[in-house]
Amino acid sequence: MKRIGFIINSRVPAWSSLARGMRPPALLFGWDDAASPMSFMRFRWIAEALAAGSSELRYELYRPGRRYAAVVFLKSMGSQCLDLARRLRAQGTKVIFEANVDYYTHVAGEVSLDVMAPTPAQRAAALGITDFADGVIASSRHLTRVCAQVNPNAAWVPDNVNLQLAPKQPTGSGLRDGRLQVWWSGMAAKVFEFLAAEEAFLALADHIHLHLVTDDLDAARQRWPEAVRDRVDAFLRRVPHTCHRFTGVRALLDLYAAGGVIVSPRFLDVPYNLSHTEWKITLGMAVGLPAVASPVPSYRDVADVADPGAVVLADSSAAWHVALTDLLEYPERRREAGEAARAVVAARYATSVVAREHAGFVQRILNESGT
C-alpha cells in the first residue's frame, strides 16, 4: 500500500498554523476543510471509492511526520505550501498540485465580480507550485491546457458526483401549475450571470419558475456594481423565483429530484468561467434534469459524450428561449433528455469512475519517479 497525503485549501498542519485556526489534533490527523467541495468531492469521495476497491493507493489527510509516496496539494499554494513541497521533495516524496481555478491568466480591465480575476499574489503562488510540482491535476480540460503551459506533466481529472447521494428516481414531473421548474445552484454573488440570458428568461417569465439554491442573496448584492445590481433586481422582480438555502449535496439532489431543467448561464469573457468545471450541471443531470447552459468548454465536453438532448448549449438569448420552450412544451422530449443526462453522469462522472482516473494519474507520477 502506498500512502498519498492531501493538503486541502492551503491548510498545512503545522505549529505555525495554530494562529490560523488549526486545532492541535490536526497535527496527528490532518487539517480538513469539511465544508468545502475540495474536501468532500475532490478528496473524501475519491478516497472512499479507492478504499472500497482494490487500489494499492491509500488517500488520507496529510499528517506531519508520516512518510508518503506523494502529497497532493489540492487547491493549496502559497509560500507555506511551497516550502513544505520542497522539504517533501528532498525526502523523496512526489509533489502533485491540483488546480480548480485559472489563477494563471492575467485579466485586463474590470470584471463584474472580484473572485473572477486572480490577484497578483494568487497568480504568483499558482505559477510557483505548478512549475515546481512533479505533476498537475486540473479539474477541467480547458484548465489542463492552461496548466500545461507551465508544467507539461498535467492531466484532466473531472469533478465527480457521488451517486449514492442521489435519489434513484425523480419525484416530480418538472412542471408545477403549468410552469417549467428551472434549477440553479451556486454562490449568490454569481446570480448576476443570469444576465447572460436575461432576454430569454424575461420573455418566458409567465411560463417558468426559477429555483435558486444558494447562500445569502441580500449580502451578495452588495458585491455587484450598481448597474448590475439594478438589472438583477429588475430581473428577479419579473421572473417568479424561490430561494433555497444550500445545506449540502444530498439536500440539493433531493430538491433537484422535483424535476425540470438545470441551467447554467455564464459570461464567457473571463478565464475564470472558461476554466470552470461541469459540476454545476452534472449534479442536476445525475437526478434526471436535462441541462441548458452557456457554451463553457467543460459543458461542451459533457455534451460531446452525451446522447442528444442531455445538454443543450445556448450561445444567445434566442437559443436559450428555444431550448427552454422545447423542454416546457414537449414532456416526452424532456423525459428522454433527463434519462440521457443520468446515463452520461453514471458513465463518465460518477465518483467510482473518476476515482480510477485520479489514481491512475497519481500512479503514473509514482512510476515515473521509480517510487
Side-chain angles (χ1 to χ4, degrees), residues 1-7 43 57-63 66-74 84-85 88-89 91-97 133-135 137 358-359 361-367 369 371:
M1 180 185 67
K2 298 176 182 177
R3 293 185 183 275
I4 311 299
F6 276 72
I7 294 171
F43 163 62
L57 303 181
R58 177 190 172 104
Y59 286 12
E60 65 180 37
L61 292 173
Y62 170 78
R63 307 180 188 185
R66 175 168 282 184
R67 291 301 298 268
Y68 291 98
V71 171
V72 178
F73 288 77
L74 177 52
L84 175 59
L88 291 167
R89 169 81 60 79
Q91 298 168 7
T93 300
K94 303 309 295 180
V95 173
I96 298 172
F97 177 57
D134 296 289
I137 294 172
H358 196 286
F361 179 77
V362 172
Q363 187 62 63
R364 178 163 73 81
I365 296 299
L366 298 182
N367 291 344
S369 67
T371 302

Side-chain angles (χ1 to χ4, degrees), residues 218-252:
D218 288 335
R221 293 175 66 255
Q222 307 310 312
R223 299 180 62 181
W224 300 329
E226 184 177 0
V228 171
R229 185 163 59 245
D230 289 345
R231 284 179 64 188
V232 175
D233 288 347
F235 176 91
L236 293 177
R237 283 195 299 269
R238 179 69 182 89
V239 178
H241 66 281
T242 301
C243 289
H244 308 262
R245 176 69 69 166
F246 177 81
T247 59
V249 173
R250 185 186 294 275
L252 176 67

Side-chain angles (χ1 to χ4, degrees), residues 113-370:
L113 190 64
D114 52 4
V115 299
M116 290 188 167
T119 66
Q122 287 173 326
R123 187 167 186 268
L127 288 169
I129 197 162
T130 300
D131 179 64
F132 181 82
D134 296 289
V136 178
I137 294 172
S139 57
S140 74
R141 191 193 303 272
H142 179 89
L143 182 57
T144 305
R145 289 193 289 265
V146 174
C147 291
Q149 296 175 25
V150 182
N151 187 325
N153 203 1
W156 171 42
V157 177
D159 282 349
N160 66 95
V161 181
N162 186 346
L163 295 180
Q164 295 180 354
L165 303 179
K168 301 301 181 184
Q169 296 292 335
T171 58
S173 68
L175 291 182
R176 185 179 303 167
D177 298 327
R179 292 177 179 268
L180 179 66
Q181 305 300 292
V182 179
W183 294 91
W184 177 92
S185 182
M187 293 170 53
K190 298 179 184 177
V191 168
F192 82 91
E193 295 213 90
F194 274 92
L195 300 179
E198 180 181 15
E199 293 178 7
F201 280 91
L202 291 175
L204 291 168
D206 294 334
H207 305 285
I208 63 174
H209 189 99
L210 179 61
H211 295 269
L212 305 173
V213 189
T214 187
D215 46 20
D216 192 339
L217 185 57
D218 288 335
R221 293 175 66 255
Q222 307 310 312
R223 299 180 62 181
W224 300 329
E226 184 177 0
V228 171
R229 185 163 59 245
D230 289 345
R231 284 179 64 188
V232 175
D233 288 347
F235 176 91
L236 293 177
R237 283 195 299 269
R238 179 69 182 89
V239 178
H241 66 281
T242 301
C243 289
H244 308 262
R245 176 69 69 166
F246 177 81
T247 59
V249 173
R250 185 186 294 275
L252 176 67
L253 297 179
D254 286 341
L255 287 171
Y256 285 166
V261 56
I262 187 80
V263 299
S264 184
R266 286 186 177 274
F267 291 105
L268 301 182
D269 57 351
V270 289
Y272 180 95
N273 277 351
L274 291 174
S275 69
H276 213 273
T277 80
E278 64 291 308
W279 208 45
K280 191 177 289 291
I281 62 170
T282 51
L283 281 171
M285 293 170 67
V287 295
L289 302 185
V292 181
S294 298
V296 172
S298 64
Y299 300 165
R300 190 175 299 280
D301 285 335
V302 183
D304 285 347
V305 296
D307 286 344
V311 181
V312 178
L313 300 177
D315 59 1
S316 67
S317 285
W320 274 93
H321 192 283
V322 169
L324 292 172
T325 300
D326 282 352
L327 291 169
L328 170 66
E329 294 183 348
Y330 299 100
E332 183 62 19
R333 189 178 299 174
R334 187 170 68 248
R335 183 190 64 78
E336 292 174 353
E339 290 178 356
R342 289 171 65 96
V344 73
V345 172
R348 301 279 187 149
Y349 298 97
T351 299
S352 58
V353 175
V354 174
R356 291 193 295 271
E357 296 177 13
H358 196 286
F361 179 77
V362 172
Q363 187 62 63
R364 178 163 73 81
I365 296 299
L366 298 182
N367 291 344
E368 287 175 355
S369 67

